[in-house]
Amino acid sequence: MQNEHPRRRFLRQILASGTGLGAGLATGLGFMHPAEAAGFAEALGYSPKYPADFTAFNYVNPDAPKGGQLALSVFGSFDSLNPFVLKGLSASGLNELCFETLTVRAWDEPFSSYGLLADRADLASDGRSITFRINAAARFNDGSPVTARDVWFSFNTLVGPKGHPRYRTYWADIEKAELPDARHVRFVFRRVNPELHLIIGELPVFSEHWVGARDFATLAREAFLTSGPYRVEKTDFGNTMYYRRNSDYWARDLNVRRGQFNFDRVVYKYYKDETVSLEAFKAGEFDVFSETNSKRWARDYNGAAFDDGQIIHREIPHHNNAGMQGFGMNLRRPLFQDRRVRRALDLALDFGWSNTHLFYGQYTRCDSYFSNSELACSGIPTGAELALLAPFRDHLPAALFTKPYQVPVANNPEQQRHNLLAARDLLHAAGWTVQNGELRNADGQLFQFEIMLSMRGFERIVAPYVYNLKRLGIQVSYRTIDVALYQRRMDHFDFDMTVVAYGESMSPGNELRDRFSSAAAHTEGSSNYMGIDSPVVDALIDRVIYAANRAELITACHALDRALLWGEYLVPNWYIGAHRMAWWNRFGFHQPLPLYFDALTWVLQTWWQTHEQPQKQI
């Protein structure tokens, strides 16, 4: 991602790893001879970081000791061991520990993948297909080989009617999977898509023989046959999930797995209240806590175990694209279909007051769907971005072309009063006026809605926002519901307003369709919670996905970001540029740290248990 490349190189940046390059294949991609290939690397628009002979990722200790147990906490509940269907809540850890993919990403590069189940990849010279060769050493945990047919079966199952609809959206540009022979699987593309050869590498693979003729959609209570470093040891549905490391794991010495998955046992303990789970952590019921609540982080990490070094708590820096979090409005409700109304609801949020009085100054306001990255728009559109947006001028707010988008800011009560007056004027222009202290339209309809929450910790954050809305005459209630019910209602878009979060990578692409496309707005189970149904957004998503180089990608992201922001589909929240973590001081981890990573996945995959003296603090 660091340099621009012409379209052909952007499409064919797949490099072989091993002892040297051969003369190249019919595709002209310069791969190693099949007999020599030990793996491969591929990247989106730049050369992969790791050389052909790398032995382990830099952020991993290749000599990390194996053994011990890691216990983690999870908020909520679970009732399924099948993470690939719409029905049910699947157990945490299944994807990370059990299901393997054709390739794995490196956490210190924007978008690079290295071979895992596949040890070779051939991208066609026209960019319309990619063929993976399955590593002959790959084994399921019963010792049976992972075959190309298992990959073929997994793909067709996931994009079929029984799989979660998200997969059909994500891989929409894949026409079909083919089996040239017993060891190779080819994915044929409907059109050239610069990242498709990378994201199909993320395909989770399971055993066709194990699934057999059973109904995939109902496989919920039995652990799948998988090829990952762990297998399900024991399940206490709704309460605890146990995994046991496979000592015969086929990839334990592979460069992309060396030094990783070091615990003999991993346990997930479920809690229905995060405050209770924090107290359980401090009592030693589990090992690592990743904090999401600013008040708890500021006030509750104290006591004897912290004072004497038994528990460490630190902010672990990262370079993740912060994406967007906000109070999402369901545009399927008539109440939210007027953009002026949505802007008024945005003006009512007093982030400055909340950051000072509730968040202890820990947060920065989200001002982009790609916050904290070069993909965020700024100023007014000019140059290539203006040229991209100009054809849609009649379908976008005129102000988008003349002034920068501004997330409402209030640094004092007077500024917030000004914001509320502006919100009142917008509501009046949209046909809503205050009558006897209540906001109503010309038909007498009361402006009222509910904010649906899944965590009680958010109630204290929502309360002052609701207070400001009531000052405008809006009747708002908020309610925290059970996680399982919350997920069902989200899947069926059964809410007025709720908290939505869109984490982003440094290379957005096909996942944008699931989040913001018109098709996803009408697909239950998608992540387009707000119901965005805009041909302009659809067209700009395509410009991101099919960008020919990094420069075009950045321009298209700026344009898409601007269209989403001016659409006022949510009330932007906030982000922090570090993971707030606490852990019992009996673990080690390697430095340097990765750049782009999820906190608990980093712990799960790269930490190890130690009884040595406390390590050097970050």
Side-chain angles (χ1 to χ4, degrees):
M1 290 282 188
Q2 297 137 347
N3 302 301
E4 296 179 25
H5 294 266
R7 185 174 187 82
R8 178 167 173 76
R9 186 173 184 186
F10 191 81
L11 286 169
R12 66 178 179 84
Q13 192 66 51
I14 299 181
L15 305 178
S17 66
T19 57
L21 293 178
L25 303 176
T27 56
L29 298 183
F31 284 105
M32 297 176 58
H33 188 277
E36 300 174 316
F40 66 92
E42 49 187 358
L44 191 58
Y46 63 96
S47 296
K49 171 181 177 177
Y50 290 92
D53 59 351
F54 89 99
T55 57
F57 293 127
N58 289 350
Y59 50 83
V60 168
N61 174 10
D63 300 315
K66 305 291 185 184
Q69 173 177 291
L70 175 69
L72 301 173
S73 70
V74 185
F75 174 72
S77 183
F78 73 100
D79 58 8
S80 173
L81 299 181
N82 186 345
F84 308 121
V85 295
L86 183 57
K87 182 180 179 180
L89 292 173
S90 63
S92 291
L94 286 169
N95 280 305
E96 297 88 345
L97 298 175
C98 298
F99 292 93
E100 290 195 304
T101 52
L102 294 168
T103 63
V104 293
R105 288 196 189 187
W107 297 348
D108 51 358
E109 301 178 73
F111 195 173
S112 292
S113 294
Y114 297 80
L116 179 56
L117 286 175
D119 66 3
R120 178 187 174 94
D122 294 281
L123 181 66
S125 58
D126 62 2
R128 293 289 298 272
S129 69
I130 187 169
T131 301
F132 292 97
R133 186 179 71 178
I134 306 306
N135 193 320
R139 291 289 185 274
F140 288 112
N141 284 331
D142 66 348
S144 62
V146 179
T147 68
R149 187 171 178 87
D150 291 311
V151 178
W152 175 88
F153 175 79
S154 299
F155 172 77
N156 284 307
T157 301
L158 293 179
V159 300
K162 300 297 179 66
H164 195 293
R166 192 165 295 160
Y167 294 108
R168 293 191 288 279
T169 302
Y170 193 48
W171 293 316
D173 277 348
I174 297 179
E175 179 180 344
K176 59 183 176 179
E178 300 176 333
L179 291 171
D181 56 48
R183 197 173 163 196
H184 292 81
V185 59
R186 177 183 300 119
F187 296 95
V188 179
F189 306 155
R190 301 182 192 279
R191 58 184 290 185
V192 172
N193 180 322
E195 73 166 7
L196 200 55
H197 64 286
L198 285 162
I199 66 171
I200 189 53
E202 300 169 355
L203 171 71
V205 176
F206 39 85
S207 167
E208 178 187 23
H209 175 74
W210 181 85
V211 174
R214 291 182 289 179
D215 182 359
F216 186 77
T218 63
L219 288 176
R221 294 280 170 153
E222 187 177 353
F224 280 58
L225 177 59
T226 58
S227 61
Y230 291 80
R231 64 182 77 192
V232 173
E233 179 185 30
K234 186 170 60 171
T235 303
D236 178 8
F237 282 99
N239 297 308
T240 314
M241 190 71 188
Y242 303 85
Y243 298 93
R244 175 67 62 177
R245 187 166 61 87
N246 180 11
S247 59
D248 294 324
Y249 174 46
W250 73 273
R252 61 185 179 274
D253 295 321
L254 209 60
N255 51 12
V256 296
R257 287 297 192 232
R258 186 172 288 117
Q260 302 176 43
F261 300 109
N262 301 309
F263 300 100
D264 283 345
R265 196 186 202 204
V266 175
V267 179
Y268 288 88
K269 299 183 178 183
Y270 282 74
Y271 298 85
K272 296 186 183 300
D273 185 285
E274 288 202 323
T275 300
V276 172
S277 67
L278 175 57
E279 294 307 312
F281 165 71
K282 291 194 284 188
E285 291 188 17
F286 59 93
D287 299 310
V288 182
F289 197 85
S290 181
E291 184 57 78
T292 60
N293 184 287
S294 56
K295 178 183 177 182
R296 287 198 300 264
W297 186 250
R299 300 177 57 178
D300 295 347
Y301 285 77
N302 50 58
F306 293 89
D307 294 340
D308 63 16
Q310 292 184 69
I311 299 178
I312 298 173
H313 69 298
R314 296 283 183 272
E315 291 189 3
I316 307 295
H318 62 71
H319 293 78
N320 298 344
N321 183 335
M324 172 63 82
Q325 177 181 295
F327 298 133
M329 291 165 268
N330 188 350
L331 272 65
R332 302 169 187 85
R333 305 282 203 255
L335 191 64
F336 301 116
Q337 289 176 3
D338 192 312
R339 192 176 67 87
R340 294 168 296 184
V341 168
R342 301 196 297 270
R343 178 64 176 181
L345 298 182
D346 192 359
L347 285 160
L349 179 68
D350 189 349
F351 168 73
W353 184 93
S354 294
N355 199 34
T356 299
H357 294 90
L358 301 179
F359 305 149
Y360 300 85
Q362 295 176 30
Y363 289 122
T364 300
R365 185 82 185 270
C366 290
D367 58 358
S368 165
Y369 282 76
F370 309 105
S371 296
N372 196 42
S373 80
E374 65 176 345
L375 305 177
C377 69
S378 61
I380 61 174
T382 59
E385 185 191 354
L386 179 59
L388 187 55
L389 289 168
F392 309 112
R393 188 180 290 271
D394 293 342
H395 303 283
L396 292 167
L400 179 150
F401 295 93
T402 60
K403 61 181 182 181
Y405 180 82
Q406 178 65 59
V407 176
V409 175
N411 296 314
N412 54 58
E414 181 60 28
Q415 289 180 347
Q416 183 57 28
R417 181 176 180 274
H418 175 78
N419 284 349
L420 289 176
L421 290 172
R424 180 202 62 185
D425 293 343
L426 284 169
L427 290 167
H428 186 272
W432 296 90
T433 57
V434 177
Q435 304 171 28
N436 298 320
E438 297 177 332
L439 194 66
R440 296 181 181 272
N441 62 14
D443 296 327
Q445 177 190 357
L446 180 65
F447 197 122
Q448 61 181 348
F449 65 91
E450 178 188 76
I451 302 176
M452 184 178 73
L453 303 172
S454 65
M455 293 186 289
R456 293 199 178 278
F458 240 94
E459 292 181 0
R460 60 186 282 273
I461 296 170
V462 167
Y465 178 50
V466 168
Y467 172 78
N468 281 342
L469 291 172
K470 289 184 176 180
R471 293 175 66 185
L472 294 169
I474 299 173
Q475 302 303 304
V476 188
S477 61
Y478 54 92
R479 184 161 63 106
T480 301
I481 63 177
D482 175 75
V483 174
L485 176 59
Y486 179 88
Q487 186 60 55
R488 284 197 295 272
R489 290 183 62 177
M490 291 294 284
D491 285 341
H492 296 286
F493 311 127
D494 182 19
F495 65 91
D496 298 327
M497 176 183 282
T498 191
V499 180
V500 298
Y502 295 110
E504 274 295 350
S505 72
M506 298 303 291
S507 177
N510 287 263
E511 73 280 0
L512 296 172
R513 286 174 171 156
D514 180 64
R515 296 176 177 183
F516 308 124
S517 75
S518 299
H522 305 285
T523 303
E524 290 189 347
S526 82
S527 298
N528 189 347
Y529 303 116
M530 288 90 75
I532 300 171
D533 189 347
S534 164
V536 177
V537 171
D538 292 342
L540 294 176
I541 288 173
D542 279 351
R543 294 303 295 263
V544 174
I545 292 173
Y546 301 113
N549 52 53
R550 180 65 178 175
E552 285 190 14
L553 177 72
I554 293 172
T555 297
C557 285
H558 289 170
L560 174 62
D561 189 32
R562 201 179 300 275
L564 290 170
L565 289 170
W566 281 92
E568 303 287 354
Y569 300 117
L570 49 67
V571 178
N573 285 177
W574 38 82
Y575 69 91
I576 186 171
H579 297 302
R580 293 171 294 202
M581 299 181 64
W583 62 92
W584 283 87
N585 193 13
R586 51 177 173 264
F587 300 99
F589 58 83
H590 192 63
Q591 297 194 58
L593 299 175
L595 299 177
Y596 317 107
F597 63 104
D598 168 75
L600 291 182
T601 304
W602 171 58
V603 172
L604 191 69
Q605 201 159 324
T606 71
W607 286 28
W608 63 90
Q609 186 166 311
T610 177
H611 297 287
E612 299 174 359
Q613 293 297 316
Q615 64 181 39
K616 182 179 179 180
Q617 297 179 359
I618 296 175

